[in-house]
Each structure stands twice: as C-alpha cells, then as structure tokens.
Amino acid sequence: MQRSLLVVLTSVVLSVAVSLLALVAFEGATEQAEASAPPLSRSTESQIPVTAEQLQALQVSLDELSLEVSRLRELRSSDRRSLPMAAASEGSKGEEAQAIAMGALQSGSAAFKAQVAEALTEIEEEREAVEFEEELDERREEAVKANEEYDQLDTDLVTKTQELTDKLLLGSSQSKDMRRLLATQNERNREMTRLWSEGNTSEDELGEIFMSNRAAHRAEIQNLLHSDQLETYRSYLRDGGLGGRFSFFVAPWDEWVQDQEK
C-alpha cells in the first residue's frame, strides 16, 4: 500500500475537523460584527467571497474523506493481510483523529454535522471489518490444525475402536456401532469447525449446533453402552484417547447425570 490505512484517515479527518472549527469561529466573529456594525458597505461586501471559499474547502475535505473510505474498501478486498497490520500500527493515531472530529461535531451547521458523523460511521465500520478479517485469518489457521486431528482420527479409527472394544468388552455388533458413532461425531466436529472458520454463521447458531451435536453423541453412546461401560468410555475421552478436540465437543468431564436417567 502507498500509505498506511489510519495515517490517511488521520490526515483527512484532522483536515475536516480543523476546517469545521475555523468555519465556526469565523461564523461567530461574523455574527458579532453584524450585531455591532452599521449596514454593509462596499468594503465589507468584499469579505463575502472568503466565506464561500471556506465552505468550498470544507466540502472538498469531506469529499476527500468519502473517497478515502471507498479506496480503503478496495484495498481491504485486494490485500487482506497487510491491511490489518497497518491498522494495528496506526490505531492510536486514528482514535485521536476521530476524537478531534467528534469534538468538531459539537458545533457547526446540522448539514456538516451529519456529513462528518456519516464519515466517522463509515470509518468505524471499515475498522470493524478489518478486525473481523484478522480474526477470520486466525480461525482459518486453527481450522487447519483441527482438520489434521480429524484426519488422524479417521486414519486411526480401526485402532481406536479396538482399544475401546477391549476396554469396554464390547461384542462384535457393539464394536461396529461404536466405530460408526465415532466416525459420525468426528464428521460433526469437522463440519462445526468449517462453519466457525468461514464466519458466515452467527454465534447463536453455532452455539445451537454445538449443543445439538453434543446431546446427539451422548444419547447415541448411552443407547449403546451400559452404565458401567459409559464411565469407562468417558474416562477414555478425558485421557485424550480420541484427541483433545473430540473431548471438547462432547465434554466427558460433565456429569451426564440427567442423560443417564431413562
């Protein structure tokens, strides 16, 4: 990028704020002069173009701010990795500039207040979007590690099933069912991770899916195992027998008391 994100925003927002304050001061001085001075003469009429120039300069500054916001959206789309780094390095400067601009909103005409407020809102939205993109990058990295664990369980599924068969003294039919249930839950975990890493599913929806998957696995295992076998299975999970993420998704450290009541 030719200029870092918030350095640009700082200069533009400061320009707007200074222009606003200068305009307010000029308007205040003009009102006092009009109250005490005689009717306008030809010499005072020559001051009118100055006010127009100031208004034009302020409008130009606001237009530049709008253009910067649009440009930043394009930069975020084309360079998602460098943009969060620039935003983080200049965060304090951007916040200071916004504070100055917010102070300018306490004065000035309603039209200019609305324009500056809208520009600040767009800046905040862009900042939130940048932060979310940074979070998504971290989620994707975590998803890669999670899928490696899911793949490993798929590879070791026969071995893990045999370990559980020996520990739980499962019959042939129970062993087959156990292998099927473990594979099913592993795929649930994989799908849950995919939804989370893509960022298109709300937190509430993710929570509902998480709890639904957890309840489903518990019910399936309880229908398969006797009460004494169930505790051995949970101990196996707590010891990391099927991996930390599998244990996280089914929470074997919980009591499961209500689930065991039939």
Side-chain angles (χ1 to χ4, degrees):
M1 290 184 295
Q2 295 180 352
R3 294 177 295 178
S4 63
L5 168 65
L6 290 179
V7 168
V8 175
L9 291 180
T10 300
S11 61
V12 177
V13 175
L14 282 174
S15 174
V16 173
V18 171
S19 299
L20 270 174
L21 294 174
L23 177 60
V24 172
F26 179 81
E27 288 178 345
T30 302
E31 290 175 357
Q32 292 180 358
E34 290 177 348
S36 58
L40 288 174
S41 63
R42 290 188 178 180
S43 61
T44 58
E45 288 176 355
S46 64
Q47 297 178 6
I48 295 178
V50 177
T51 302
E53 290 174 1
Q54 288 185 333
L55 288 172
Q56 183 178 5
L58 179 56
Q59 186 61 55
V60 169
S61 296
L62 289 170
D63 291 342
E64 289 178 354
L65 182 57
S66 297
L67 289 174
E68 288 298 336
V69 172
S70 298
R71 190 179 68 84
L72 289 172
R73 287 175 177 163
E74 296 178 359
L75 285 175
R76 181 164 58 85
S77 298
S78 61
D79 192 359
R80 292 185 173 181
R81 287 193 174 274
S82 60
L83 190 56
M85 296 175 61
S89 64
E90 300 295 340
S92 59
K93 294 182 181 180
E95 292 175 359
E96 180 181 354
Q98 288 198 38
I100 294 175
M102 289 299 294
L105 288 176
Q106 302 302 318
S107 57
S109 67
F112 286 131
K113 284 183 180 182
Q115 284 182 296
V116 175
E118 181 179 356
L120 290 175
T121 298
E122 291 188 18
I123 291 173
E124 184 61 27
E125 290 175 350
E126 287 300 306
R127 175 180 294 171
E128 291 176 356
V130 167
E131 291 175 351
F132 186 62
E133 286 295 336
E134 188 176 18
E135 180 182 340
L136 283 182
D137 285 341
E138 295 177 355
R139 290 188 183 188
R140 294 184 190 106
E141 292 177 1
E142 181 63 24
V144 171
K145 299 176 182 178
N147 280 300
E148 290 176 353
E149 188 170 312
Y150 304 147
D151 292 342
Q152 188 62 50
L153 181 55
D154 282 340
T155 300
D156 298 340
L157 193 56
V158 174
T159 302
K160 296 297 182 181
T161 302
Q162 187 59 51
E163 287 180 2
L164 284 169
T165 297
D166 295 340
K167 286 179 176 293
L168 303 174
L169 303 177
L170 301 178
S172 176
S173 177
Q174 281 184 307
S175 181
K176 290 180 181 178
D177 287 342
M178 174 61 74
R179 178 177 176 179
R180 176 179 55 81
L181 294 181
L182 295 183
T184 297
Q185 182 60 30
N186 199 39
E187 287 307 307
R188 288 173 181 150
N189 299 347
R190 191 190 298 275
E191 176 64 9
M192 183 78 186
T193 299
R194 183 188 69 80
L195 294 174
W196 173 74
S197 65
E198 290 178 350
N200 297 322
T201 307
S202 70
E203 293 297 324
D204 289 341
E205 290 176 311
L206 287 173
E208 291 178 1
I209 295 172
F210 178 82
M211 296 306 295
S212 176
N213 289 348
R214 174 178 289 184
H217 182 71
R218 290 183 179 182
E220 292 162 351
I221 290 296
Q222 288 173 331
N223 287 332
L224 176 65
L225 303 178
H226 301 300
S227 58
D228 56 337
Q229 292 174 317
L230 182 62
E231 183 55 39
T232 302
Y233 173 74
R234 290 171 57 205
S235 296
Y236 182 78
L237 295 184
R238 287 195 295 266
D239 292 339
L242 297 178
R245 287 180 173 82
F246 195 102
S247 178
F248 167 75
F249 278 108
V250 301
W253 50 86
D254 289 352
E255 288 298 324
W256 291 23
V257 174
Q258 292 181 351
D259 292 339
Q260 295 180 55
E261 295 178 357
K262 305 216 175 162

